[in-house]
């Protein structure tokens, strides 16, 4: 088991802040922060509703920002912090971007592609694999999603 560090928790708190922005904009509260060269080089939140774009996941937007910051799509040496286990699209993008490490909050039993349903980020058939740490601030990350969907169900019932 990989130990969760204070640094992991601090960056996850920043990802949670991003997730709250998504929620304020009516989107599923998922946030992502990418750290490289000892600084934040990408941070984003889900913007699917705002942009009406099915690919506007927090991870994808953060990857685009990080690549622009480094002027290189190879993100070797970088770590991404995400509040929810990435989906297949995002997991594939992390592999293609050559991210070294994925740290996420809570598992996604319905669409998770790093442990729950698939393990794309560590599939030995692919040309790159990520180190994965899960369960960082799991309660806070889970609560954000539970509260969001609970409120949505109440709103839809009205």
């Amino acid at each position: 088991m990989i130990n969760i560090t204070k640094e992991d928790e601090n960056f996850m708190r920043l990802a949670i802040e991003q997730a709250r922005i998504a929620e304020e904009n009516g989107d599923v509260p998922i946030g992502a922060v990418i750290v490289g060269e000892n600084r934040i080089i990408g941070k984003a939140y889900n913007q699917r509703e705002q942009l009406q774009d099915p690919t506007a996941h927090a991870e994808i937007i953060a990857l685009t920002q990080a690549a622009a910051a480094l002027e290189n799509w190879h993100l070797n040496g970088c770590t991404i912090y995400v509040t929810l286990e990435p989906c297949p699209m995002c997991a594939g993008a992390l592999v293609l971007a050559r991210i070294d490490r994925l740290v996420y909050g809570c598992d996604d039993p319905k669409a998770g592609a790093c442990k729950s349903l698939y393990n794309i980020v560590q599939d030995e058939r692919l040309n790159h694999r990520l180190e994965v740490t899960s369960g960082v601030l799991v309660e806070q990350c889970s609560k954000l999603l539970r509260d969001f969907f609970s409120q949505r169900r109440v709103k839809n019932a009205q």
Side-chain angles (χ1 to χ4, degrees):
M1 182 178 153
I2 298 171
N3 290 331
I4 296 171
T5 67
K6 285 290 182 198
E7 183 177 69
D8 289 341
E9 290 179 350
N10 290 337
F11 286 121
M12 187 60 72
R13 283 187 188 90
L14 296 175
I16 290 169
E17 287 177 16
Q18 291 296 302
R20 288 192 177 116
I21 297 170
E23 184 175 29
E24 290 168 9
N25 288 305
D27 217 319
V28 178
I30 300 170
V33 172
I34 299 177
V35 177
E37 298 181 350
N38 299 313
R39 62 188 171 103
I40 294 172
I41 57 173
K43 63 180 181 176
Y45 52 90
N46 266 15
Q47 297 180 44
R48 294 179 308 166
E49 297 296 334
Q50 189 176 352
L51 300 175
Q52 290 300 297
D53 178 353
T55 67
H57 290 205
E59 299 96 320
I60 301 298
I61 296 167
L63 284 170
T64 300
Q65 291 175 358
L70 296 181
E71 297 180 345
N72 192 338
W73 65 270
H74 287 97
L75 300 178
N76 302 88
C78 296
T79 298
I80 186 166
Y81 296 85
V82 187
T83 56
L84 179 68
E85 177 184 3
C87 71
M89 174 182 70
C90 293
L94 296 176
V95 170
L96 293 173
R98 315 294 197 276
I99 290 272
D100 281 358
R101 184 169 178 245
L102 162 65
V103 178
Y104 70 87
C106 54
D107 293 340
D108 184 352
K110 293 184 179 181
C114 303
K115 174 182 166 187
S116 296
L117 295 180
Y118 310 101
N119 193 351
I120 292 171
V121 298
Q122 294 180 327
D123 190 319
E124 292 182 4
R125 296 169 295 180
L126 299 175
N127 67 336
H128 179 75
R129 284 165 292 291
L130 285 72
E131 176 186 316
V132 178
T133 302
S134 62
V136 177
L137 301 182
V138 64
E139 287 306 316
Q140 294 95 315
C141 294
S142 297
K143 184 175 179 353
L144 269 174
L145 291 162
R146 275 194 317 270
D147 291 351
F148 175 81
F149 285 111
S150 176
Q151 290 170 6
R152 183 172 272 185
R153 282 189 295 277
V154 168
K155 187 177 180 181
N156 289 342
Q158 294 175 346

